[in-house]
Amino acid sequence: MCGIVGFFHPAADRPVDRDLLHAMNEIQHHRGPDGGGLFAEDGVGLGHRRLSIIDVASGQQPLFNEDGSVVVVYNGEIYNFEELFVELRARGHVFRTRCDTEAIVHAWEEWGEDCVTRFRGMFAFALYDRNRQTLFLARDRLGIKPLHWAPLPDGSLVFGSELKSLLRHPQVPRTIEPRAVEDYFAYGYVPDPRTIYAGIHKLEPGHTLTLTRGSAGGPRLRRFWDIRFTQDGPRDMDAAAEELRARLAEAVRIRMIAEVPLGAFLSGGVDSSGVVAMMAQQSSDPVDTCSIGFGTSGFDETDHAARVAERWHTAHRVRRVDTDDFDLIDALAGMYDEPFADSSAIPTYRVCQLARERVTVALSGDGGDEAFAGYLRYRWLADEERVRGKLPAAMRRPVFGTLGALYPDLRGGPRILRAKATLQALARDTVESYFHTVCVLPDGLRRRLFGPAMRARLGGYHASEVLRRHIEAAPADDTISRIQYADLKTYLAGDILTKVDRTSMAVALEVRVPILDHPFLEWACSLPTDLKLRGREGKAVFKKALEPLVPDDILYRRKMGFAVPLAAWFRGPLRERVRAAVTGPHLADSGLFDQGFLARLADDHAEGRADHAPALWSLLMFEAFLRRTQGLETAARPPLAVPA
């Protein structure tokens, strides 16, 4: 696992600032502490930081083809590189290493831009072809590895694994994008392809970028892969479960290839327990596993993890997260480079630290909920859709909208009395309803959060447009599949995978994700929806497949997630610190917020009048982003700005 950076200019005789390239590369040192390298000639510069995993002795980058005409810097793992070596050798290619990186330059020579369709794994890479005068960027199908890029005023292009590398370049714009602020406070992250900065983009998962000297139109973006929900796979539950076990075992097996110590995260949930069981079956030594617990009841799954560890005789370790981990907020701001409000980044970072004490590679269970409809919200949506299907929108909106407005808010009472949210959901269309379910701060709260100037800058933009774009474009025939598709494009890439990449790379740990093996995922998305969401049970076929491997009370217990007890923390030992940050100068000086409302938000939560923990955490992380960004300003880099 590594970090990459670089820039490319349309003029071949443009001198390269090697010192700047070095600075951009070194700020990502944490992504690759085992070595670094630069390639620079007029018009192009590439940088690389290396974390050695495969072919430790000879896999240094930048790496060239035989005649030096093609050079690549690469972050990731291509698990089928040995098969590619065999195929490419048969076509006359000569290899000097046993490293998967070398497969990229030869695959480019053989298949050009279509080379990415041959790669099985996680990757983000930049390739320069001297003969074609072409820069080629690519990001893996699901977005496991990150890649950012920005066009500059002089016509050149700059790119890097993390935003912090781009921000070292003096020409990169540092103006906040108002729509990204709206997206952030709605979702808790900035969805692809936006970043918090106007003019800096994330290369979307499954996309490439090509820029050739002399060609018109600037960078050319192309999607090379998309997931399709075909529902033409096995329809029998037992047969599907048996095939699932075999396919997952193979996806796990190819991710256990490494020349360094390897382990796994074990939360005690379904997905990580299944991955650990598969690893234990294929390992001659005890699997090194680790988990994180909390001192607060209702948030701790370590007992469940311990049972799975005992069942598979793993070398298991546990570490606890307490309130003093709030000090991590500044460190997290530095890891993400833009606001990121998933509070489970705290335990994720701690579990990465714990794993790194013994291993360099860890397998995770991420992706199971998106692939197999595991989230509780899918079940809620299915219930709502059954009602929506029986009543036309012209009737639903006025009837349920009125009832929802009149019904008292009894969220703290018994479940049977909590009808207000359901009535309001039924008044909305599918996209509006799902957006309301997943948003961190609902519409009314966001509108009050922003000041008049910020609302004017948005110009009517609403964050639900992100979900609507994906749901309406989804290659799927049923609502649940369309929602899964949207989650794969948004929540998985923008939140889950981003969280794991930054926290793991901060401690130089590689994380591999077998459930997101693209052949396995394509097969999963061929299954009928009723094998995944069966009655009230999500991930039904996945759980059925794991019954021989994981205890039933682990498989079929209520889902907990990897949450942090923020509400209690913010009313207890962190009360004053929260209010000081939320009402302090950094948020006030940004010109984005209604400061009076922010103070009431903090006070109402502290006094127990409302639970505003998600909003307060989002504000804390935004404040930390502003504070860190302003603290890093130098004469060479223009200050952060908000457009007028």
Side-chain angles (χ1 to χ4, degrees):
M1 205 54 54
C2 309
I4 65 173
V5 297
F7 36 75
F8 179 81
H9 196 276
D13 59 352
R14 177 73 172 264
V16 165
D17 186 339
R18 192 178 179 91
D19 290 339
L20 175 59
L21 181 63
H22 174 75
M24 292 171 61
N25 197 37
E26 287 307 300
I27 202 171
Q28 293 186 152
H29 186 278
H30 55 281
R31 296 188 72 92
D34 295 335
L38 302 177
F39 164 77
E41 66 180 27
D42 285 355
V44 63
L46 306 176
H48 182 263
R49 292 298 320 179
R50 186 187 187 206
L51 178 63
S52 302
I53 304 295
I54 294 174
D55 197 3
V56 172
S58 59
Q60 292 79 11
Q61 299 181 43
L63 186 144
F64 297 81
N65 64 342
E66 303 99 316
D67 64 7
S69 62
V70 178
V71 57
V72 70
V73 287
Y74 153 64
N75 169 27
E77 301 287 349
I78 295 175
Y79 302 114
N80 64 330
F81 74 96
E82 291 180 333
E83 293 92 330
L84 289 170
F85 277 16
V86 171
E87 183 177 3
L88 289 164
R89 283 192 182 105
R91 294 170 178 261
H93 294 266
V94 177
F95 291 85
R96 301 188 308 275
T97 73
R98 296 181 297 106
C99 184
D100 57 335
T101 309
E102 195 172 1
I104 298 174
V105 292
H106 292 283
W108 167 264
E109 288 182 295
E110 190 66 35
W111 299 299
E113 293 185 14
D114 287 338
C115 67
V116 289
T117 65
R118 304 293 187 114
F119 302 149
R120 182 180 181 182
M122 54 183 183
F123 53 84
F125 66 83
L127 178 149
Y128 174 60
D129 187 320
R130 283 167 159 161
N131 294 334
R132 304 186 198 185
Q133 293 288 286
T134 293
L135 176 73
F136 182 68
L137 308 182
R139 189 178 180 200
D140 66 64
R141 294 166 178 83
L142 279 307
I144 302 172
K145 304 319 301 174
L147 190 54
H148 304 80
W149 66 279
L152 301 184
D154 65 359
S156 53
L157 182 142
V158 62
F159 61 87
S161 295
E162 297 185 12
L163 274 171
K164 57 174 59 70
S165 287
L166 278 71
L167 295 174
R168 289 301 297 263
H169 197 294
Q171 293 185 42
V172 169
R174 297 179 68 246
T175 300
I176 285 182
E177 166 57 70
R179 291 172 298 177
V181 178
E182 156 75 356
D183 288 346
Y184 165 73
F185 281 102
Y187 297 105
Y189 59 93
V190 180
D192 298 15
R194 287 195 184 103
T195 72
I196 194 64
Y197 300 103
I200 308 180
H201 316 282
K202 296 162 185 157
L203 185 62
E204 290 188 85
H207 279 68
T208 62
L209 181 154
T210 307
L211 183 57
T212 301
R213 290 195 178 102
S215 62
R220 177 169 55 85
L221 296 168
R222 180 177 73 99
R223 183 167 65 185
F224 69 87
W225 181 87
D226 200 10
I227 192 68
R228 304 187 67 83
F229 289 78
T230 61
Q231 306 211 39
D232 58 0
R235 308 197 69 83
D236 177 75
M237 176 67 81
D238 291 333
E242 184 177 356
E243 186 173 352
L244 191 156
R245 272 195 307 274
R247 287 178 174 272
L248 182 59
E250 194 259 350
V252 168
R253 178 186 61 77
I254 63 174
R255 283 162 178 78
M256 293 177 68
I257 300 171
E259 296 179 7
V260 294
L262 180 142
F265 300 145
L266 179 56
S267 68
V270 173
D271 305 326
S272 66
S273 298
V275 169
V276 167
M278 295 288 183
M279 292 177 71
Q281 286 188 314
Q282 300 180 67
S283 176
S284 57
D285 299 316
V287 176
D288 194 301
T289 59
C290 52
S291 61
I292 289 293
F294 299 93
T296 305
S297 62
F299 291 85
D300 196 304
E301 294 185 284
T302 52
D303 288 345
H304 304 293
R307 290 189 57 218
V308 175
E310 183 179 5
R311 162 71 175 83
W312 291 103
H313 309 289
T314 72
H316 190 60
R317 294 170 294 140
V318 178
R319 184 162 292 163
R320 296 199 173 273
V321 173
D322 295 308
T323 53
D324 60 3
D325 253 24
F326 185 75
D327 291 334
L328 267 181
I329 189 168
D330 291 326
L332 292 174
M335 292 176 204
Y336 292 97
D337 302 326
E338 65 179 355
F340 186 79
D342 186 340
S343 61
S344 67
I346 291 176
T348 302
Y349 177 68
R350 291 305 187 202
V351 80
C352 288
Q353 283 185 314
L354 181 59
R356 191 62 176 92
E357 291 174 4
R358 291 189 184 175
V359 305
T360 309
V361 177
L363 271 63
S364 84
D366 291 323
D369 289 309
E370 291 81 6
F372 294 100
Y375 291 121
L376 290 171
R377 58 184 184 254
Y378 294 155
R379 293 169 238 179
W380 301 336
L381 182 67
D383 292 340
E384 293 169 9
E385 287 294 289
R386 279 191 283 272
V387 176
R388 287 193 191 96
K390 296 177 181 178
L391 295 172
M395 180 183 296
R396 279 191 296 103
R397 286 187 181 274
V399 172
F400 289 114
T402 301
L403 290 173
L406 295 174
Y407 199 91
D409 190 343
L410 299 174
R411 282 174 291 181
R415 174 174 288 275
I416 195 171
L417 299 178
R418 301 180 212 167
K420 186 179 185 72
T422 300
L423 292 169
Q424 291 173 331
L426 292 172
R428 304 180 180 105
D429 68 18
T430 300
V431 176
E432 293 167 344
S433 176
Y434 193 64
F435 172 77
H436 186 76
T437 298
V438 300
C439 69
V440 178
L441 277 66
D443 288 353
L445 184 55
R446 290 200 317 284
R447 281 194 295 269
R448 298 177 68 192
L449 196 72
F450 298 140
M454 172 60 182
R455 290 196 295 269
R457 293 182 190 114
L458 287 173
Y461 173 76
H462 192 277
S464 62
E465 293 179 21
V466 174
L467 275 179
R468 188 172 298 279
R469 174 168 67 94
H470 291 297
I471 291 172
E472 293 181 350
D477 294 328
D478 67 294
T479 299
I480 297 301
S481 295
R482 286 193 287 270
I483 296 299
Q484 285 179 264
Y485 178 88
D487 275 347
L488 285 164
K489 300 292 184 178
T490 57
Y491 182 60
L492 180 72
D495 187 311
I496 301 298
L497 296 176
T498 297
K499 173 181 63 182
V500 173
D501 175 81
R502 303 306 191 278
T503 52
S504 62
M505 284 288 90
V507 297
L509 176 75
E510 174 176 304
V511 177
R512 299 177 177 178
V513 197
I515 294 175
L516 295 183
D517 178 70
H518 82 270
F520 178 71
L521 184 65
E522 288 172 343
W523 177 83
C525 292
S526 77
L527 296 175
T529 298
D530 64 5
L531 289 190
K532 291 176 271 190
L533 184 58
R534 175 157 289 197
R536 307 300 300 164
E537 196 67 57
K539 285 196 287 199
V541 67
F542 195 77
K543 294 173 182 177
K544 181 71 174 177
L546 295 180
E547 283 180 357
L549 307 173
V550 179
D552 281 1
D553 58 341
I554 298 287
L555 291 176
Y556 295 103
R557 67 184 175 87
R558 183 175 176 82
K559 183 177 178 63
M560 288 180 64
F562 207 24
V564 175
L566 292 178
W569 288 4
F570 290 171
R571 292 191 182 108
L574 305 178
R575 174 173 174 160
E576 295 305 319
R577 188 169 179 179
V578 167
R579 197 181 195 285
V582 170
T583 61
H586 296 286
L587 293 180
D589 292 347
S590 72
L592 298 170
F593 304 103
D594 180 332
Q595 288 302 113
F597 181 69
L598 297 193
R600 290 195 299 276
L601 206 68
D603 291 342
D604 285 349
H605 182 88
E607 299 302 324
R609 292 188 288 269
D611 182 0
H612 290 311
L616 292 174
W617 180 256
S618 300
L619 287 163
L620 283 171
M621 294 306 298
F622 200 90
E623 190 266 353
F625 157 73
L626 291 174
R627 180 159 34 86
R628 176 177 172 81
T629 303
Q630 292 164 3
L632 291 176
E633 289 171 7
T634 68
R637 288 165 51 201
L640 187 69
V642 178

